[in-house]
Amino acid sequence: MSTKKRLIALCVVGTTATVSSAFNIPSVAVPQLQSVSRSWFRSPEVVLRHRSTFGAATLTFHSCSWPIHSTPAAAAPDSDGVFGDAILEGTSPKAIRLRKQVQTIINDPGNTSPIILYGPSGSGSKTSIAEDIISRLPSWQTEKVHRLSLDDGIDFIDTILGTDSHPGLLDDLARANGTTLLLKGFQSQQADSKENFDRRVELVTALARLVDRREFYSAFEEKMVPFLPRIIGCTQNVDYLKQFLEEDGDATFINVPSVRSRTKDLKDIAKARMKSLEGSFGLENVQLSKEATQRLLDHRWGVDGAAELDSELYKALELLRSEKKWNLFAPNMVKSRHVLVNADDEKIRNRLLYNIPGLRKVIMSPWIFDHTLRYIVTPAFIAVVAILFVGPQDREHNAALTVFWAGWWPGIMLVFPFLGRIWCAVCPFMAIGTLAQEFVLKYNLELKKWPKWAPTIGPAFAFGLFYAILMWEELWDLPQNGALSACLLLLITAGAVVGSVLYEKRLWCRYFCPIGAMNKIFAMPAMTEIRTWPANCEGCTNPTCKVGGSPTLDPSDTFAIKGCTMGLKNSQLRDMGDCVMCMSCVKNCEREAPEFNLRPVGVDFGLPWLIPMPLQKAESLAPSQVETNYWLGAIITILQGSVVLHYLPKILARVGIDPSIATAPPAFDLPFAIHAALAFMILAFPGTLSLIADTSSKPLDSLSNVWRRRLTPRPAENACIVNLYESMLKRDSDIAATVKEWGLDVDGDGAVSGWELKEAFKQLGIPKYQQSMLINVFLQDGEGNIPIPAFLDKLQELYFDIMETRQPSQPTYRSINAENELVTSLSFIEIFNKLDREGSGHITKEEFLSLADLGYFKRPLTKPELSVLFDDADFFKSGRLNLFEFMGIIRKTVKVGIQDIGFGYLPLAWGSLTAYWIGLGMQELGLSLARLPDTFYLPISSAMASKIPRFVADSNTIHSIQCGVMIVSFVAAVSLTQKLCDDNKIGTVRFGAHAAVEAIGTSLILYLMLSPDLSISAYR
């Protein structure tokens, strides 16, 4: 018996004996084969995977003649068909229509017309509904039920349809009365060649004839053969199938909507499915909490949302069972902490409040941070200021001055990566400001709301004040002057007090404080966060997290009772720059929605930005969510300049200039003026250099594409690109219709492959010898495929490059860049956040059109123009844009400014400051104890003073640590710059210019730190 005929015999009979005899498989092996399919079709079936002699194929055929049984409740979740009746639950119009259609079929037992269930890939319940229908059909239709998966049907078409030399599967089933044939997948989503596409058309044409006329053409018998079994089919792309159907067919089509499109029904579906699963975990009457429901609603479900939801409910019940083992009083309820613990946005997070017992109890203590501020921080701050004023005025004899400059700076720099902006939660400046605010409120004085101009003016003010403070520090030598250092502390405290007595909460900290601005920048990539998933806040009418006032708080915890002191709604945060980790939201929320999580460093910039670009996978790269700002980016650069400025006397000595200029005391004379000018220029140098690099590389970045095409002219190829692009522009139809008309996506998979391009070029009349050139332009080596939006982007880019090369004169800056430009210093993300009024992460068309009234563009855009831009960006017609889609369309309209990529310098700025201050701390902080007697003017003998421990690191250890910090920060800075450039579609030249600036900065600072004659030990 031939292999093909043995295969057919197995498919028809489908018994254990046939498997053993047809392929000489020992009987003991058959149960293993049976177990393979049990997870998919819920019945004891035989699965055969056979490599066909007529092409590599994997044939999966399931046949059984016994009644269909539903999935046992204890079974693990599977990849498809997992819901049964649960998917029919719900009160939405979609759910009601679906139930009516299914019920109509069941109420008509005499009808044997085909049934086609269709829906997107996210509706993985199509086969489940089909099984449910089959279980309710009359027995004379289901004496035998054959199941055939056609997901890889292209590879074994001859097995299904037969050939002139052997019958096919349809031949053997054609005359089987009392039979139902369940087909899953009418076509593969992607055809990798024209030949495979043609074979797919052949298969779908035959299946369409089965559905239309209950017959098929038998190649073996060479005639049309009636097909008696009832057909139930499940497919994703019904439009493709309908192209081959006749209009007068009697098939019943049932649209099965995806899980993510049934938000209103999700709660009912989850409850029904949970009800069917709970028994296997020894649970009963398990409830789904409101917070858990909202979390499910907020989750962005994947391709197969039905199977994903089932899997998440299974895991949630498993967690609940484990919890009840060690806590007998745990409520019989699935809460938000049980669901989606392994979702993509949570796999990278460690939920500390749930994984560390007792942590929540510690956080709820009034010592976090109310009592700490009142009884520790405030008295200590007053004492330090007093010591700075009345104690010795140089750092060598004043322990407080030593701790301030050699302890606080390295300490706070090391805290940023771990706890972010937590310094602001225990900040002594605001501790005094809070006391002042309480004093004002005690007399019933009304505090003002925050002014609308604060978000715009605040960062610029913080930059200016920080610049002035750094100049003051250098020119008046604050690190060696106790009284002036105390004045610096009081200056910032004064700002906090004024802001607190005039405005509610902490306006000064949020927008105007220079230290707060620095903390915001360096806290963005922190590895801890307080994050609330938006779904957990849905329907909340009492946002105690923001306004405070939770009755469960300790009455003495007045700091937390006020709610978020920064005026934040935690669920709307895009990064951790504004959150000061005060834990007020954790304490106040009765839903326990805010979570304290451990996460990878820099996750808000989009993982995995720390991985070199050649190793990155495009599908893993999320766009950066960090809200960049022009003035905050400028602060990054002056902080780098401040490190260089600390070495000014040594730099002048090295270049042959009198180093005394760098120590000129404040006076109205030339040396001091030169000192001030040098200080100003050094602080501005990093920012100026990066701005020059960015400005000069913009035209070069665009010119590189133009020059590359000029150096390698391809007139025939260019003519084809221009013809293709302009032909598409002339069409008075949307993109989807144009793509379909030109045949760019024949197989309907949403991507353009090489053979599809070849077919489209044929229709356009492009000569064969030019087709290969064009295919190689769009596809590397002509292999793989490219998504349609990316294809259209590349076509547009090539078109404009070609048009530039046709200009008679040298391309100019104005002709190369986008014609329009922003007249605001706001970054793209800041603009997006302003449009996203609800903080949902998406903007609607109405919100996008409001750009016309905001005055952000040099040439104002009208609402019709913006409407066209929105429609182009909303390729899949979802009615909303996410951040990446918004940035994609805006950067085609205006020039991308440095504010959108300048935050790439953040790791280097942190590394420079950390390396410098760690060096100072390792040399001087260990001397603090020895300096205590002088601080308080205590007369002690030299013998006793010599016994006081001193800890000073050697220069080799300091330099090794500094070198390591700088190298790591340089690599991180280049990686982050590359990530931000990639997010904004900035080319290699512009990225290379910024990387070169970062390399220059790293080399200069390392040189200053490691050169023996420029040692940090000589710091003034």
Side-chain angles (χ1 to χ4, degrees), residues 574-592:
R574 299 194 188 281
D575 57 63
M576 290 302 295
D578 287 323
C579 177
V580 299
M581 310 281 283
C582 67
M583 304 295 171
S584 293
C585 57
V586 176
K587 294 182 177 186
N588 277 282
C589 182
E590 298 176 6
R591 296 187 179 188
E592 298 184 355

Side-chain angles (χ1 to χ4, degrees), residues 11-327:
C11 291
V12 175
V13 181
T15 64
T16 301
T18 307
V19 175
S20 302
S21 60
F23 285 92
N24 298 320
I25 301 175
S27 300
V28 293
V30 175
Q32 297 177 358
L33 293 175
Q34 292 174 342
S35 65
V36 173
S37 68
R38 192 183 297 271
S39 65
W40 185 35
F41 282 94
R42 315 293 188 269
S43 55
E45 304 145 315
V46 176
V47 176
L48 174 66
R49 302 194 180 279
H50 171 64
R51 184 164 291 277
S52 170
T53 57
F54 37 84
T58 301
L59 173 61
T60 307
F61 185 77
H62 309 263
S63 179
C64 66
S65 55
W66 40 80
I68 304 299
H69 301 286
S70 61
T71 311
D78 305 306
S79 61
D80 199 10
V82 293
F83 276 81
D85 289 339
I87 199 64
L88 301 176
E89 298 291 333
T91 58
S92 71
K94 292 181 180 179
I96 295 172
R97 182 176 64 249
L98 184 60
R99 283 198 299 271
K100 284 183 177 180
Q101 289 178 307
V102 172
Q103 193 62 46
T104 299
I105 294 172
I106 296 172
N107 292 341
D108 189 8
N111 190 355
T112 60
S113 62
I115 304 169
I116 307 298
L117 296 106
Y118 67 93
S121 56
S123 57
S125 50
K126 295 185 290 290
T127 51
S128 176
I129 295 176
E131 294 286 0
D132 192 49
I133 292 173
I134 291 173
S135 67
R136 299 168 187 269
L137 291 177
S139 58
W140 62 269
Q141 289 189 28
T142 57
E143 292 177 5
K144 288 185 179 181
V145 178
H146 304 281
R147 300 170 177 83
L148 177 62
S149 173
L150 298 176
D151 288 336
D152 50 359
I154 292 176
D155 297 326
F156 51 90
I157 290 178
D158 289 342
T159 305
I160 299 173
L161 302 182
T163 67
D164 55 359
S165 60
H166 67 78
L169 175 62
L170 297 183
D171 290 289
D172 291 291
L173 295 179
R175 297 170 178 83
N177 279 314
T179 300
T180 296
L181 175 62
L182 174 58
L183 300 173
K184 176 190 173 187
F186 277 92
Q187 78 284 330
S188 302
Q189 274 296 302
Q190 181 179 340
D192 55 11
S193 68
K194 181 64 166 59
E195 180 183 1
N196 277 350
F197 177 74
D198 291 338
R199 295 306 308 270
R200 190 178 79 181
V201 171
E202 179 184 354
L203 175 62
V204 178
T205 301
L207 295 175
R209 186 175 287 271
L210 285 179
V211 173
D212 267 337
R213 303 183 181 180
R214 319 284 180 81
E215 63 181 12
F216 72 101
Y217 179 79
S218 172
F220 185 72
E221 299 184 26
E222 298 183 343
K223 65 177 183 179
M224 299 300 299
V225 176
F227 193 80
L228 300 182
R230 187 172 193 178
I231 296 174
I232 300 179
C234 304
T235 183
Q236 294 178 19
N237 193 350
V238 72
D239 292 332
Y240 182 81
L241 175 65
K242 285 183 176 180
Q243 296 178 17
F244 302 87
L245 296 176
E246 298 179 0
E247 295 183 0
D248 57 350
D250 62 348
T252 300
F253 288 87
I254 300 178
N255 181 11
V256 182
S258 64
V259 167
R260 54 185 165 187
S261 71
R262 295 182 61 186
T263 305
K264 188 175 180 180
D265 301 326
L266 191 59
K267 180 179 179 180
D268 295 325
I269 294 173
K271 283 185 175 181
R273 184 55 182 158
M274 202 163 59
K275 189 70 175 176
S276 66
L277 287 174
E278 61 184 18
S280 61
F281 296 95
L283 303 170
E284 60 180 12
N285 297 324
V286 177
Q287 302 298 310
L288 189 66
S289 73
K290 185 177 181 180
E291 293 76 21
T293 302
Q294 292 295 342
R295 192 158 196 169
L296 292 174
L297 291 172
D298 185 65
H299 180 61
R300 183 177 295 180
W301 298 100
V303 174
D304 196 348
E308 186 183 358
L309 175 59
D310 189 66
S311 175
E312 293 301 334
L313 293 175
Y314 184 90
K315 294 171 187 175
L317 290 172
E318 194 170 34
L319 285 174
L320 181 61
R321 179 178 63 179
S322 300
E323 183 177 301
K324 291 179 75 68
K325 284 183 179 179
W326 58 266
N327 182 6

Side-chain angles (χ1 to χ4, degrees), residues 884-912:
F884 194 63
E885 292 168 332
F886 171 80
M887 290 173 61
I889 196 64
I890 290 296
R891 67 171 174 259
K892 294 178 184 177
T893 310
V894 299
K895 304 170 186 176
V896 178
I898 192 173
Q899 63 265 33
D900 287 292
I901 56 178
F903 268 56
Y905 291 84
L906 187 156
L908 186 58
W910 175 86
S912 303

Side-chain angles (χ1 to χ4, degrees), residues 707-863:
W707 286 337
R708 183 172 63 251
R709 298 189 70 84
R710 280 187 166 178
L711 292 173
T712 56
R714 304 184 181 97
E717 174 187 310
N718 293 350
C720 295
I721 292 174
V722 171
N723 178 46
L724 177 62
Y725 185 80
E726 293 183 348
S727 297
M728 294 180 70
L729 286 180
K730 292 175 183 177
R731 304 302 305 169
D732 187 20
S733 58
D734 59 22
I735 294 177
T738 303
V739 168
K740 182 177 180 181
E741 182 176 349
W742 289 114
L744 291 173
D745 186 22
V746 179
D747 59 1
D749 63 346
V752 181
S753 54
W755 71 269
E756 289 173 310
L757 284 175
K758 191 174 182 180
E759 292 299 311
F761 295 154
K762 285 181 181 178
Q763 292 186 34
L764 293 172
I766 297 176
K768 189 174 182 180
Y769 72 92
Q770 294 180 11
Q771 294 175 12
S772 298
M773 290 190 300
L774 284 173
I775 291 173
N776 288 330
V777 169
F778 292 102
L779 303 173
Q780 186 175 4
D781 299 326
E783 300 294 332
N785 56 60
I786 179 173
I788 292 175
F791 167 79
L792 296 174
D793 272 351
K794 189 162 187 175
L795 176 60
Q796 183 186 53
E797 178 185 350
L798 291 172
Y799 173 78
F800 284 110
D801 283 349
I802 294 167
M803 298 309 292
E804 290 288 349
T805 63
R806 293 183 176 182
Q807 291 184 1
S809 59
Q810 185 73 10
T812 63
Y813 175 87
R814 182 174 297 277
S815 67
I816 292 170
N817 285 273
E819 294 181 2
N820 210 347
E821 58 184 281
L822 292 175
V823 292
T824 174
S825 60
L826 295 178
S827 64
F828 289 164
I829 297 180
E830 287 180 297
I831 295 174
F832 180 87
N833 290 342
K834 286 183 177 294
L835 297 178
D836 182 18
R837 303 183 186 99
E838 298 181 357
S840 63
H842 297 85
I843 56 174
T844 63
K845 189 170 186 177
E846 180 182 358
E847 291 171 330
F848 185 78
L849 295 181
S850 66
L851 276 172
D853 305 320
L854 296 178
Y856 290 156
F857 301 105
K858 185 175 182 179
R859 183 186 71 79
L861 296 177
T862 64
K863 288 191 175 182

Side-chain angles (χ1 to χ4, degrees), residues 506-519:
R506 297 173 65 171
L507 174 69
W508 171 262
C509 301
R510 177 78 181 272
Y511 295 115
F512 296 95
C513 177
I515 302 299
M518 179 187 72
N519 294 351

Side-chain angles (χ1 to χ4, degrees), residues 644-660:
V644 179
L645 186 58
H646 288 143
Y647 294 98
L648 180 58
K650 294 78 182 180
I651 296 174
L652 295 179
R654 174 56 64 91
V655 298
I657 301 176
D658 183 5
S660 64

Side-chain angles (χ1 to χ4, degrees), residues 908 970 974 994-1004:
L908 186 58
F970 169 69
V974 172
H994 286 285
V997 172
E998 290 166 346
I1000 292 171
T1002 303
S1003 302
L1004 175 61

